[in-house]
Amino acid sequence: MKLKELLKILPNEANVTFEIVEETYPTGILAKDILATYPRAAEYEVTLLDAGISTYEGKDIPTQCIEVSNGN
């Protein structure tokens, strides 16, 4: 599945831990901001989709872990 297809079904305000394999470190971001921040990733293949927990100011926040790759 391509990232742009996945983002169509995720809520805009979903917390995401996002990584482009071999290009970026995992980062916390809202689903609606991924393509604005990483436009080249729209056509990348999703290689990992998992549920996770991130911690912010001592609070646990449910998050979607998304990893994509450009296939190179």
Side-chain angles (χ1 to χ4, degrees):
M1 168 183 279
K2 302 243 183 238
L3 177 62
K4 67 181 181 180
E5 296 165 347
L6 174 61
L7 292 177
K8 288 179 184 178
I9 60 174
L10 283 180
N12 285 335
E13 298 300 318
N15 289 299
V16 174
T17 300
F18 180 73
E19 177 181 3
I20 301 173
V21 176
E22 297 183 6
E23 291 185 35
T24 67
Y25 289 104
T27 187
I29 191 169
L30 292 177
K32 69 178 182 179
D33 296 331
I34 292 174
L35 293 182
T37 306
Y38 304 99
R40 69 188 180 283
E43 295 295 326
Y44 287 10
E45 288 293 323
V46 176
T47 57
L48 174 75
L49 176 61
D50 202 0
I53 300 287
S54 62
T55 303
Y56 180 73
E57 294 183 352
K59 297 180 181 177
D60 291 338
I61 301 168
T63 185
Q64 293 292 318
C65 301
I66 300 173
E67 185 179 276
V68 298
S69 174
N70 67 1
N72 291 334

